[in-house]
Amino acid sequence: VIMRLAQPRIDYPTGLLAGNYIVCSLLALILSISELPALASGSLGLPVGLGLLNGLLYLGSFALMQWNTRQNGVVLSSVFMKLGILVPTLLSVVWFKEMPTLLQVLGFVIALAAIMIINYQKGTKLSRNSWALILMLLVGGMGDGMSKVYEVYGSPATKNVFLFFTFFAALLLCLGLIAKKKEKLGCKELLYGTALGIPNFFSSWFLLRSLSSVPAVIAFPT
């Protein structure tokens, strides 16, 4: 909703993303202070490495969403972006052997059907750039899946550090794009970026915590 409100009111879309990632990075940094004791006794390799990779996937999915919206329209882009939940869910089942119950499978199928029905629009057809929709589905899904990967292999005591490097990496890449495009990061971009960054950060924050107690087949569709 915030992105839709911001689009006609801002001058630089990449600046909006940068403002968003500034806020996300600051929130993660503040929450990481409590994890300093764990950092002193543990290794930074996993949260930093997975965080940097996740940041690349985060920004990649946003960029692909913007490109697909121009090429394939809002409807198809939204559908494929949301169907990205297939990737982390299948990852959890195939790689992490998190076998769902029959009722959970039924619920997951209903969730997928709901995405298709809610976003259905008569006359919508795939364009010749349909490959980009699949790529967006995979990149976005892999970005979500990194939360599950960290939940399994990472330390619960450094979850905020993982999020910090995720958003900080995305921010650095964003700033690089701004410089390349010769765009600006103005007051409007910062204002709407702040409004976007708060829910964006906490959606990742709550997802990471939910995966420690809720099966992926429930967490990701939700």
Side-chain angles (χ1 to χ4, degrees), residues 97-120:
K97 310 300 180 184
E98 191 177 279
M99 301 307 296
T101 64
L102 180 60
L103 189 61
Q104 289 171 348
V105 171
L106 178 61
F108 184 75
V109 171
I110 292 173
L112 292 180
I115 290 173
M116 302 296 290
I117 293 168
I118 290 169
N119 291 278
Y120 173 75

Side-chain angles (χ1 to χ4, degrees), residues 1 21 27 36 51-52 60 65-66 78 80 84 87 126 128 165-166 181-182 187 189 199 210 214:
V1 171
Y21 287 131
L27 287 171
L36 289 177
L52 293 176
M65 180 65 178
Q66 289 178 338
S78 297
F80 276 80
V87 177
L126 291 172
R128 61 182 179 179
F165 281 101
T166 291
K181 295 179 179 180
K182 297 182 180 179
C187 293
E189 285 76 22
S210 70
V214 178

